[in-house]
Amino acid sequence: MTRRHATLPTALGDLLVVVEQTADGDALAGVTFPGHWHPLPADSLGAEVDAATDPVVHAFGAQLVEYLAGERTTFDLPLAPSGDEFQHAVWAMLREIPFGETVTYGELAVRLGDRNLARRVGNAVGRNPISIVVPCHRVVGADGSLTGYAGGLERKRFLLELEGAPVVAQGRLF
């Protein structure tokens, strides 16, 4: 496994973008915010590269600009997140949440077959290493509240407002 990283300036702040060389080619392994709750270990980032010239970082940056402009609803990038089997199952479900929609931790736990897994689901969601692309911002509390986001609740609200998620619009009514 060979990794490299770059800092990508965006409208959401600087993002740390990590790319991993896999047997199938280069893939996105991390997208984290400054102050991220669960930062990627410094010794797992690899060499620093130029965000403007790295093809994967550049592709992510271009797709992110389209997403933030309301011109893109999904990302089309190869992914290589590091995690255990349970985390991968949760992250796969996150990728299935449609643009502009939200689900609760409990709903994800039920999809996994056991409502009692909600806390464990929350832990996996919080450890998602590929923010935005794997849309953990679309997971809300049981009452629809905006709970926990490794990049900060302000960014979570921003992303959900950008997507027109009804849960955010309802929150503005009160």
Side-chain angles (χ1 to χ4, degrees):
M1 160 181 86
T2 302
R3 285 188 169 189
R4 61 186 185 272
H5 74 281
T7 301
L8 182 67
T10 76
L12 297 167
D14 288 348
L15 296 176
L16 175 66
V17 181
V18 179
V19 178
E20 183 172 318
Q21 185 178 24
T22 71
D24 297 325
D26 290 342
L28 203 56
V31 174
T32 61
F33 296 100
H36 204 87
W37 288 356
H38 303 286
L40 299 169
D43 64 352
S44 74
L45 303 180
E48 186 169 8
V49 296
D50 184 349
T53 59
D54 186 271
V56 177
V57 176
H58 179 75
F60 166 66
Q63 290 185 27
L64 181 64
V65 167
E66 292 170 358
Y67 168 79
L68 293 173
E71 300 166 357
R72 173 179 286 278
T73 59
T74 61
F75 290 85
D76 182 23
L77 299 160
L79 305 179
S82 292
D84 62 34
E85 185 177 338
F86 184 83
Q87 289 170 325
H88 278 277
V90 172
W91 300 336
M93 288 190 303
L94 297 180
R95 290 191 300 272
E96 295 172 2
I97 304 169
F99 179 90
E101 294 184 24
T102 58
V103 300
T104 67
Y105 299 96
E107 289 171 331
L108 293 174
V110 167
R111 290 182 197 171
L112 287 168
D114 184 352
R115 179 152 186 80
N116 295 320
L117 292 174
R119 280 194 193 279
R120 193 164 170 212
V121 166
N123 189 315
V125 170
R127 292 186 181 279
N128 168 27
I130 307 178
S131 296
I132 306 168
V133 177
V134 177
C136 52
H137 60 275
R138 296 179 187 155
V139 184
V140 298
D143 61 357
S145 62
L146 301 188
T147 59
Y149 186 60
L153 288 180
E154 303 80 24
R155 287 188 184 104
K156 182 172 188 161
R157 178 175 297 284
F158 174 85
L159 294 169
L160 291 173
E161 285 178 350
L162 172 77
E163 295 184 7
V167 70
V168 178
Q170 291 169 359
R172 285 194 304 256
L173 295 177
F174 303 102

